[in-house]
Amino acid sequence: LEGDLRRALNEGQLSLVYQPLYELRSLRPIGFEALARWMHPQLGAIGPDLFIPIAEETGLIVQLTDFVLRSACSDLKRWQLSDPAFAGLTMNVNISGKDIAHSGLVPRITRALVEARLEPQHLTLELTENILMERLEAALPTLTELRRLGVGLSIDDFGTGYSSLAYLSRLPVNSVKIDRAFVADLQRGSDE
């Protein structure tokens, strides 16, 4: 699949779907999370759980992330311009551990924002807790530079690893997405 993924990136076989994000109080949409999808010409839909690890192992993750960043930023800007009610929408993009370790991450993100004419505060990068904790010391300068740029940072799947809430005070993050394991058994109106 490595060769097929390389061709898919070069031939436009990958696409994005957008998962809406809502403010719970008003139930109004506040943004989207961009999710990569691959429709293989012979094999059909190939899930991200299969092609993302291949991209990471082969170094194609940089090209994949650039595709997602450029497409997501461009689509969001187009939606913002289509209706004044959409002006405040944001876009969340997942970043891999290889991306956070890549020395050119900040310029790549800046380029995607400039090309789309999107303000940095409308982009949030999501890093999973496990990826972040594995590379915490090396990632801190990059995360700090991204925050200075105005890009939002979010920890995804918090609670799946071994980090504690104490780590959050060290990180320049805007939000934490708690893993569903913490809320799966909650019931409406439950005091537990």
Side-chain angles (χ1 to χ4, degrees):
L1 285 176
E2 176 186 340
D4 289 348
L5 181 56
R6 190 175 309 282
R7 274 188 297 286
L9 283 162
N10 293 328
E11 297 174 4
Q13 293 174 15
L14 290 149
S15 62
L16 297 183
V17 295
Y18 296 101
Q19 179 174 306
L21 304 172
Y22 293 93
E23 182 202 44
L24 290 178
R25 219 171 281 141
S26 67
L27 294 181
R28 108 186 139 77
I30 56 171
F32 300 91
E33 180 175 352
L35 303 169
R37 297 295 183 255
W38 180 14
M39 184 58 71
H40 191 283
Q42 285 83 35
L43 303 175
I46 297 183
D49 56 326
L50 182 58
F51 73 82
I52 301 284
I54 292 171
E56 288 178 335
E57 290 169 19
T58 61
L60 292 172
I61 194 67
V62 171
Q63 189 177 351
L64 175 60
T65 299
D66 286 348
F67 162 75
V68 174
L69 279 167
R70 284 191 318 273
S71 300
C73 289
S74 177
D75 286 348
L76 179 60
K77 185 61 178 184
R78 190 173 62 253
W79 299 334
Q80 288 177 334
L81 293 172
S82 73
D83 188 323
F86 300 154
L89 292 176
T90 61
M91 182 64 71
N92 289 28
V93 173
N94 294 293
I95 299 294
S96 82
K98 300 271 183 173
D99 285 314
I100 202 67
H102 190 267
S103 62
L105 179 63
V106 175
R108 290 168 42 218
I109 290 168
T110 302
R111 188 170 36 258
L113 290 167
V114 168
E115 287 174 3
R117 298 182 322 275
L118 186 68
E119 295 296 322
Q121 68 268 19
H122 293 282
L123 176 64
T124 296
L125 304 176
E126 293 188 10
L127 301 104
T128 63
E129 174 194 14
N130 290 337
I131 287 170
L132 192 55
M133 292 304 114
E134 287 172 9
R135 296 173 164 85
L136 183 59
E137 293 307 318
L140 277 174
T142 301
L143 297 176
T144 301
E145 194 174 346
L146 287 166
R147 286 294 296 134
R148 263 191 241 120
L149 179 63
V151 171
L153 299 171
S154 180
I155 299 175
D156 197 5
D157 297 334
F158 186 80
T160 58
Y162 298 104
S163 63
S164 71
L165 290 173
Y167 276 109
L168 294 179
S169 64
R170 294 183 57 205
L171 300 173
V173 297
N174 302 83
S175 62
V176 176
K177 291 172 67 178
I178 297 171
D179 187 70
R180 73 173 42 149
F182 285 104
V183 295
D185 294 331
L186 290 179
Q187 296 176 5
R188 178 170 280 211
S190 171
D191 291 337
E192 297 178 22

